[in-house]
Amino acid sequence: MVSRVRVWLNRTYAENVFFMDQLRRNPCGRAVEIHATHGDPDSPILAAADVAAMEPEGLSPAAYVEYALDQCARHSIDVFVPVLHQTALAEHREEFAAAGTALLAPPAEAVHTFQDKVVAYEAVEKLGVPVPPWSRVRTAEELIAAVDELEAAGHKACFKPASGAGGVGFRIITRTPFSLLHLSGFPSPYMPLDLVVQALRQADEPVDWLVMPLLGEPEVSVDCLTGPDGRVRMAVGRTKNGRRRGFTLDPSFIEPARVLAEGFGLHYLTNIQFRMLGDEPVLMDVNTRPAGGLHQLSQCGINAPWAAVRLALGEEPGDVVPPFLGSDYAVVSGPRAVRPVSAPETPFEAQSAQEAQPAQEAHAAQATRTAQTAHQAHAAQASQSSDSPLTV
């Protein structure tokens, strides 16, 4: 009898509930036990897991590695999919292997390269993959010079942190003075240049920003699966143009993604993003982790999470090629279960210990019934035949 596979996802983003769903619905019919840890008790990741726990707060990267090694040993984890402290964990790959755990992450050197966008762009250019013009700025004067240069070339300027992920800190520069226009409707990413300059001059320390042209659509995210041998097994693009989403195997996106995945040893699941500079695709970002939208490839007949787990286990999934490209779609949000929360108990000084005991027993029984209900709802959801493209 084939043993169940134990997979652990540490502090990760909510969309990975779909990653977990796909592991359970793997085409091999293999039993999978999913472990999850998080710092937020209301993360749907915890409710979706078979075994869930809160992570300790305030651990240094080195201390977190010790915590993770202990988790893997105590729970006999077969495959660990790290997001938090990915670099530090990847540096100890051999220790995890000694504990019987395969780390579903690229080598530490590759992760480190793509943590800093300037280091990444410099390295990528050496491989001949196009990147947008960029400047690293730390002061107001450097920002003004970079914006002037881009605007003189006919571009609209934007900036983002040199180190960061998920679009955090991304802003678009405008010369329009601040007015009620900026306060109407939904919050906008547009920031008047004079206000940004003023903030920089009043700051206690320099920033570390990348200034570059505002790139055009479509945005194409190429999900790659690469083995430890350096060979790419899967490269499929997901397109985004406004609300419309779709899929592509266009070589102008797929081939440079393959070059990067093989050239930097981006093992297992990575996501390589491109946008348009005029008519030319240029690299926007490289994520050394599974993308939040990876599950959308199920609309092309692909179960990428399971193929990656098989690869980590030393099995060969072969080339993962979509049998078809799914039709265009839009992404909408939807509900997802969180773990039951016990109602806080209110102590009464007049209540004796004998009177308190029945109340505690009733509370425990209610918590058990709630947990059973959540488990039944989860089981029903897991039995569906295909992923929904919803995000949470």
Side-chain angles (χ1 to χ4, degrees):
M1 181 177 179
V2 179
S3 62
R4 71 177 56 239
V5 179
R6 291 182 174 87
V7 181
W8 173 29
L9 289 80
N10 75 342
R11 195 176 310 199
T12 188
Y13 34 95
E15 286 83 357
N16 262 343
V17 293
F18 302 116
F19 189 103
M20 299 157 79
D21 289 345
Q22 286 194 286
L23 290 182
R24 290 191 177 99
R25 296 198 297 269
N26 67 82
C28 298
R30 187 92 173 265
V32 178
E33 180 180 284
I34 299 177
H35 295 239
T37 56
H38 210 284
D40 179 3
D42 291 332
S43 170
I45 289 293
L46 297 178
D50 299 300
V51 180
M54 293 296 295
E55 291 189 355
E57 294 292 342
L59 294 183
S60 67
Y64 192 92
V65 170
E66 293 302 316
Y67 158 76
L69 284 167
D70 179 68
Q71 284 284 109
C72 289
R74 286 194 299 111
H75 295 285
S76 300
I77 300 298
D78 298 298
V79 179
F80 177 21
V81 187
V83 172
L84 180 66
H85 293 312
Q86 190 186 57
T87 305
L89 293 165
E91 289 173 347
H92 294 266
R93 185 183 305 274
E94 293 182 0
E95 294 175 50
F96 284 97
T101 302
L103 211 59
L104 196 76
E109 310 83 69
V111 177
H112 181 73
T113 296
F114 290 102
Q115 284 182 326
D116 186 308
K117 292 178 175 60
V118 171
V119 173
Y121 279 1
E122 290 174 341
V124 164
E125 285 182 298
K126 294 177 182 178
L127 286 182
V129 174
V131 301
W134 54 270
S135 299
R136 189 171 206 160
V137 307
R138 301 183 184 276
T139 66
E141 287 66 36
E142 290 176 349
L143 174 67
I144 294 171
V147 172
D148 286 344
E149 182 179 355
L150 286 173
E151 290 182 343
H155 301 297
K156 183 178 288 292
C158 63
F159 65 87
K160 56 186 176 182
S163 298
V168 175
F170 170 78
R171 298 292 187 273
I172 304 169
I173 292 291
T174 177
R175 300 276 184 171
T176 304
F178 185 78
S179 67
L180 286 178
L181 179 66
H182 294 89
L183 300 178
S184 62
F186 291 104
S188 167
Y190 284 86
M191 288 294 298
L193 178 60
D194 59 335
L195 292 186
V196 181
V197 169
Q198 178 182 345
L200 285 175
R201 287 176 174 160
Q202 294 175 347
D204 295 330
E205 55 187 29
V207 296
D208 187 11
W209 289 345
L210 200 67
V211 178
M212 56 193 293
L214 179 63
L215 301 174
E217 292 185 316
E219 178 180 315
V220 179
S221 294
V222 181
D223 294 307
C224 294
L225 175 61
T226 308
D229 58 359
R231 187 172 71 82
V232 175
R233 268 63 165 190
M234 180 192 79
V236 182
R238 290 181 287 111
T239 65
K240 181 169 69 173
N241 199 336
R243 176 174 291 190
R244 180 173 291 272
R245 309 292 178 94
F247 305 98
T248 183
L249 294 176
D250 187 334
S252 63
F253 303 105
I254 300 301
E255 291 311 313
R258 284 180 172 273
V259 168
L260 295 177
E262 293 174 354
F264 288 99
L266 297 175
H267 301 165
Y268 301 111
L269 289 169
T270 54
N271 177 257
I272 302 173
Q273 300 175 346
F274 300 89
R275 270 189 174 245
M276 305 301 293
L277 182 63
D279 296 328
E280 180 185 33
V282 294
L283 179 72
M284 184 170 69
D285 209 352
V286 174
N287 296 310
T288 58
R289 52 169 174 74
L294 179 69
H295 64 280
Q296 294 163 13
L297 293 184
S298 64
Q299 296 189 78
C300 298
I302 290 177
N303 188 327
W306 179 245
V309 165
R310 287 191 63 195
L311 203 54
L313 292 172
E315 303 172 10
E316 180 50 68
D319 291 334
V320 182
V321 179
F324 54 89
L325 292 182
S327 58
D328 287 359
Y329 61 101
V331 173
V332 295
S333 62
R336 190 77 187 204
V338 295
R339 292 200 299 179
V341 177
S342 300
E345 295 182 6
T346 304
F348 294 94
E349 293 181 359
Q351 185 178 26
S352 67
Q354 290 81 5
E355 292 172 330
Q357 186 64 30
Q360 293 171 358
E361 291 174 351
H363 174 77
Q366 178 60 38
T368 300
R369 289 193 295 270
T370 304
Q372 289 173 342
T373 301
H375 176 76
Q376 291 168 357
H378 174 267
Q381 188 173 29
S383 66
Q384 296 175 358
S385 61
S386 63
D387 267 335
S388 164
L390 305 183
T391 57
V392 294

